[in-house]
Amino acid sequence: MKRTIVFRSVGVMALLVAAAALASDKTKSEQAFDHLASLQGEWQGIADGVNTTLIYTLTANGSTLMEQCRPEKGHEMITMFTIDGDHLIATHYCSAKNQPQMETPAISDVRKSLEFSLVRVTGLKSPDDFHNTGLTVIQEDNDHLTQEWSYQHKGKTGKNIFRFTRVRQAAS
């Protein structure tokens, strides 16, 4: 009887050690994605003077974080975040009817901010059309988020900064 209890205890400990080892075996990009996925839930802020809701949902068997941007006035936009090797990818489905695809540099450490730069953009009718060229996502803490979107339009560049506050955590 005592021997059975000892063997079970040792087995449980071995499982816990193995689970911890697997968790620590995540790549830097997987760790960065997990940190980004902590945004799941609902956020409120003002974007270009318009009350805006962001909803983050983990989808595709946990491989994609979907951001729904829902301005009170205007059109909804979607941004999909995924892992690609040692990078994170963001594809933005813009109300300007184009799709900038951006990526981070190789992830070497997990920080509170991620910088995405334009790789290519689909759906442009002309290079002068408005399109986003970059995104920085800054997670100040669990309840405060800043997005810095850079863009190009008619040969000129600019940046928009949006701040959001969490209003609802995602249901577990």
Side-chain angles (χ1 to χ4, degrees):
M1 181 74 156
K2 287 183 182 180
R3 184 179 279 176
T4 303
I5 292 172
V6 169
F7 283 128
R8 282 187 184 162
S9 296
V10 169
V12 168
M13 282 193 255
L15 280 173
L16 291 173
V17 169
L22 285 174
S24 67
D25 284 345
K26 286 191 172 188
T27 66
K28 294 293 184 188
S29 56
E30 289 169 329
Q31 291 173 34
F33 181 82
D34 288 348
H35 185 65
L36 192 63
S38 73
L39 294 174
Q40 290 179 86
E42 186 175 328
W43 299 74
Q44 292 286 324
I46 298 177
D48 289 330
V50 176
N51 289 333
T52 301
T53 300
L54 297 180
I55 299 171
Y56 287 94
T57 308
L58 206 53
T59 188
N61 195 25
S63 67
T64 304
L65 181 67
M66 178 174 66
E67 175 197 277
Q68 298 173 62
C69 178
R70 297 178 172 174
E72 196 172 71
K73 299 175 185 172
H75 300 283
E76 180 175 320
M77 294 176 278
I78 302 287
T79 304
M80 304 296 265
F81 298 92
T82 57
I83 300 170
D84 184 28
D86 58 357
H87 303 269
L88 295 187
I89 302 289
T91 302
H92 178 66
Y93 298 86
C94 190
S95 61
K97 298 183 179 180
N98 57 51
Q99 306 80 38
Q101 298 167 354
M102 301 166 279
E103 73 176 6
T104 64
I107 305 285
S108 58
D109 61 351
V110 180
R111 296 183 227 167
K112 65 180 185 177
S113 69
L114 289 168
E115 294 182 29
F116 295 85
S117 299
L118 186 66
V119 175
R120 71 185 200 127
V121 60
T122 58
L124 281 182
K125 293 179 182 154
S126 159
D128 282 343
D129 287 350
F130 176 90
H131 60 282
N132 289 298
T133 57
L135 167 63
T136 301
V137 177
I138 305 163
Q139 294 174 257
E140 287 125 33
D141 57 39
N142 193 44
D143 295 320
H144 297 93
L145 167 69
T146 299
Q147 292 184 341
E148 298 177 359
W149 287 90
S150 56
Y151 64 87
Q152 185 174 333
H153 186 220
K154 296 184 180 178
K156 294 184 181 178
T157 61
K159 184 181 282 192
N160 291 315
I161 299 173
F162 308 120
R163 291 181 174 78
F164 297 92
T165 302
R166 187 188 299 269
V167 294
R168 190 172 332 161
Q169 194 86 16
S172 306

